[in-house]
Amino acid sequence: MRAVHFTLRQYLNTHGLSAYRLAQAARGRVSERTVYALARGEVSRVDLGTLGAVLSTLEELTGEPVTPADLLGVVTVPGPDQEARAWLDGDASHLGEFGPYDWGDADPYALGEPVRVGPDGAILIGGE
């Protein structure tokens, strides 16, 4: 699957500009909050009028033509692997027919160490 994301931060860095400078130059056309959100890549959609105002402001600041392609990037997002697909395709519609698992005398919360996913996607166990 492919995903589109904003590359405004990279554009600004390449041209020696800051989000603050863009926000000041776009005042009255685009809100500061919107400029900063675009620069941080925190938006999933943008109004075409807003995009046009950002493009025009960047052209004024750089003296160069700027197109939407200059501010958008495309990445390929990997789909689920074979194991994940098996879980996603599984039929869980009959799970309500079964009672909860009987752990006997064991406390399931004391059986192991907590598991979490680290920032790089690695699985971390316990206090790693």
Side-chain angles (χ1 to χ4, degrees):
M1 182 172 90
R2 297 177 43 106
V4 176
H5 63 100
F6 285 96
T7 60
L8 178 59
R9 177 183 302 275
Q10 291 89 341
Y11 183 90
L12 293 173
N13 289 341
T14 300
H15 290 83
L17 297 169
S18 67
Y20 175 79
R21 177 73 181 106
L22 175 59
Q24 295 304 307
R27 188 182 305 249
R29 296 181 275 184
V30 181
S31 75
E32 267 187 35
R33 187 171 149 187
T34 299
V35 170
Y36 289 124
L38 287 168
R40 287 190 303 264
E42 294 177 349
V43 294
S44 59
R45 62 183 64 131
V46 65
D47 180 78
L48 294 178
T50 300
L51 181 59
V54 169
L55 294 173
S56 295
T57 305
L58 289 170
E59 286 180 348
E60 293 166 8
L61 291 171
T62 64
E64 301 172 1
V66 184
T67 69
D70 295 320
L71 303 182
L72 300 174
V74 179
V75 294
T76 300
V77 179
D81 62 14
Q82 184 177 3
E83 180 181 4
R85 279 195 305 275
W87 279 101
L88 292 170
D89 294 340
D91 180 10
S93 63
H94 298 289
L95 288 179
E97 299 170 12
F98 302 97
Y101 184 80
D102 182 5
W103 290 91
D105 294 334
D107 177 6
Y109 295 106
L111 290 177
E113 296 186 60
V115 176
R116 60 190 167 81
V117 177
D120 61 348
I123 295 178
L124 305 173
I125 300 172
E128 289 182 11

